[in-house]
Amino acid sequence: MPKSKPLTTSRYPAPTGKKVKEKELVSKSEYRAQVQKEEVEKKKVEKKKSNSEVLEATSRLSVTSDNIRDYIHTYKETAKENMQTYGVPASIKLAQGVLESGSGQGTLSRNANNHFGIKCHQGWEGESVRHTDDAPDECFRKYDNPKDSYTDHSLFLSKRGRYNDLFLLDKDDYEGWAVGLKKAGYATDPRYADKLISLIERYELYKYDAEVLNKKVTGPRPRTISTATDSTSVASNTKTTSKSSQTSTTKKSGTHTVVKGDTLYNISKRYNLTVEQLQKLNKLTSNTISIGQTLKIK
């Protein structure tokens, strides 16, 4: 009986008698290195996620703590200048800027330099853009640069009667300002005040208020207002300050005695003067004034 030939195919080639060592697709060392690299990348992603938060105002964005710190570093001096001139705490300016602009990454801040979500409102004659917020295709103010947005935000607050009581608070009372802004209707978010206060205390924005006021930084202010019952607390605080302001002002003598919450800007508006006129009357070389100081108003 003839010998059968071995079955040979492309899958089962004819034996040659030589032992062939199969080539490794990935060496053990390469595999271990790859696994280790993947673990490192995974941890980086998880860390990034843990350091991020969603900012909701005119934009809904996920930002990292580094984004927020970069924003604060960029605009802290502008916020301090505004505090000196208009009396809005630098801490509040920065916290609102972070929240409303998504740390400068939101659509309005990128396309219109609008860092505070200010809508056109009646009387706005500048440029504008359309953006969907509380309603579709709303009109928002557009600025040439972010600094103009910061200035207009201060003017917006100081020229509207519903925010008047805020300027009677201590200049560094960021808590009162946060609660007061929500009470006055700046934002519809029920947690708006809490979000501002949280940003201020987490990133120590209160230290910029202290720098403007030449105060020693001692940490965050003790909580004095419950944001859940803000309306009664803010009203009582501002009424008390308002009374002291009225009693300390002596219109007949042509002078004004500076009290808590006063700035050259709101004093000038009270007596139908400009800041420059007030400075000239009192031979002031800066916007710095102090409690108890007597200023000429005539």
Side-chain angles (χ1 to χ4, degrees):
M1 185 175 180
K3 294 181 179 179
S4 60
K5 293 183 179 180
L7 177 63
T8 60
T9 64
S10 58
R11 186 173 182 184
Y12 301 105
T16 60
K18 295 181 180 179
K19 189 174 182 181
V20 179
K21 183 178 180 181
E22 292 184 4
K23 184 179 179 181
E24 292 180 310
L25 296 177
V26 180
S27 69
K28 291 181 180 178
S29 59
E30 289 177 335
Y31 176 74
R32 283 195 292 267
Q34 181 65 27
V35 170
Q36 188 176 13
K37 183 179 179 181
E38 289 175 357
E39 285 296 322
V40 171
E41 291 299 322
K42 184 178 179 181
K43 287 180 180 179
K44 284 183 180 179
V45 172
E46 289 175 350
K47 184 178 180 182
K48 188 175 181 180
K49 285 182 178 179
S50 66
N51 287 336
S52 68
E53 60 184 287
V54 175
L55 299 179
E56 286 186 79
T58 49
S59 300
R60 179 182 173 88
L61 293 169
S62 179
V63 301
T64 66
S65 55
D66 286 340
N67 294 144
I68 296 174
R69 289 192 180 91
D70 287 344
Y71 182 90
I72 293 167
H73 179 74
T74 301
Y75 296 107
K76 62 182 181 181
E77 293 303 323
T78 302
K80 287 163 63 179
E81 288 169 9
N82 269 256
M83 181 176 177
Q84 287 179 322
T85 304
Y86 301 104
V88 181
S91 58
I92 285 290
K93 297 285 284 190
L94 290 168
Q96 281 198 281
V98 166
L99 187 59
E100 297 287 347
S101 76
S103 294
Q105 298 182 67
T107 303
L108 278 175
S109 56
R110 287 186 288 105
N111 296 342
N113 288 312
N114 188 331
H115 284 235
F116 297 92
I118 298 180
K119 298 176 184 178
C120 292
H121 295 285
Q122 188 175 1
W124 175 249
E125 297 179 353
E127 290 187 75
S128 63
V129 295
R130 293 287 172 176
H131 179 76
T132 298
D133 185 34
D134 295 324
D137 204 31
E138 291 186 281
C139 182
F140 284 84
R141 301 183 182 188
K142 182 179 180 181
Y143 307 97
D144 291 335
N145 55 68
K147 192 169 184 178
D148 287 347
S149 177
Y150 268 71
T151 299
D152 190 50
H153 173 255
S154 295
L155 293 172
F156 180 84
L157 295 178
S158 60
K159 288 183 177 181
R160 281 166 170 71
R162 59 181 176 169
Y163 299 113
N164 282 350
D165 284 348
L166 298 180
F167 291 90
L168 300 176
L169 297 170
D170 289 347
K171 291 182 181 180
D172 56 354
D173 186 1
Y174 61 81
E175 182 187 14
W177 267 82
V179 173
L181 284 168
K182 173 63 185 74
K183 174 178 174 270
Y186 191 97
T188 56
D189 183 352
R191 295 190 60 249
Y192 194 72
D194 286 322
K195 289 179 180 180
L196 292 179
I197 293 170
S198 176
L199 285 167
I200 290 168
E201 295 183 347
R202 274 188 292 148
Y203 294 94
E204 300 181 335
L205 303 184
Y206 48 77
K207 67 184 179 183
Y208 302 117
D209 298 338
E211 288 175 11
V212 172
L213 300 173
N214 293 317
K215 286 185 175 182
K216 184 179 179 180
V217 180
T218 57
R221 290 171 62 98
R223 287 294 182 100
T224 57
I225 301 172
S226 169
T227 53
T229 57
D230 56 6
S231 57
T232 303
S233 302
V234 174
S236 61
N237 286 348
T238 52
K239 282 179 182 178
T240 302
T241 312
S242 180
K243 288 180 181 178
S244 65
S245 175
Q246 290 171 2
T247 56
S248 65
T249 303
T250 52
K251 292 182 180 179
K252 292 181 181 180
S253 65
T255 62
H256 172 87
T257 302
V258 179
V259 297
K260 289 180 179 181
D262 276 348
T263 66
L264 283 184
Y265 180 77
N266 62 33
I267 294 172
S268 68
K269 290 299 178 184
R270 194 176 304 169
Y271 300 107
N272 295 318
L273 299 169
T274 65
V275 172
E276 291 74 18
Q277 288 173 328
L278 200 54
Q279 287 177 319
K280 189 173 181 180
L281 278 171
N282 294 278
K283 298 180 181 180
L284 300 174
T285 58
S286 70
N287 294 325
T288 303
I289 53 178
S290 56
I291 295 173
Q293 182 177 353
T294 300
L295 297 176
K296 294 179 181 178
I297 56 174
K298 291 183 180 180

